[in-house]
Amino acid sequence: MLGELLLAAFIAASGFVTAGILGSFYQLVTGEPPKFFAEMKGPVSWLIVVGLWLVAGPFIFMRNAIQGYYWESFSPGMLAAAGGLTAMWSILSGTFVLSFLLAL
């Protein structure tokens, strides 16, 4: 039981770290933070934006939740719910990233 929880924590951490790295790289290149409603200008941009949403989604979601907590007076329960959703999304994106890396 403990082994499975540690594995899930490792997968979630790898997914969130990957999301942070990709989100920070996007911000470094474009000069603006990544967002869910980005402007898409062609078929190649669709692939880039959807890939960004899938992998960097936990980073974007948690950044928006923290900003909402401080600036728009979200309740602490909403911030905790966003943290839980971010953890689940990190497990999914971490599974995707680790399976991709192990397939190489």
Side-chain angles (χ1 to χ4, degrees), residues 10-83:
F10 175 75
I11 292 172
S14 65
F16 198 72
V17 166
T18 304
I21 290 171
L22 187 62
S24 296
F25 181 73
Y26 179 84
Q27 188 170 0
L28 179 70
V29 170
T30 63
E32 62 181 26
K35 52 190 168 211
F36 284 118
F37 301 106
E39 186 176 326
M40 295 176 242
K41 298 178 182 175
V44 175
S45 112
W46 269 92
L47 293 174
I48 292 170
V49 169
V50 169
L52 180 70
W53 287 344
L54 289 175
V55 180
F59 174 76
I60 301 168
F61 192 67
M62 200 62 203
R63 183 179 45 84
N64 290 343
I66 291 171
Q67 285 178 353
Y69 178 73
Y70 284 113
W71 294 343
E72 299 175 17
S73 67
F74 284 0
S75 68
M78 290 177 71
L79 186 62

Side-chain angles (χ1 to χ4, degrees), residues 97-104:
V97 168
L98 288 176
S99 65
F100 179 75
L101 290 176
L102 291 174
L104 292 177

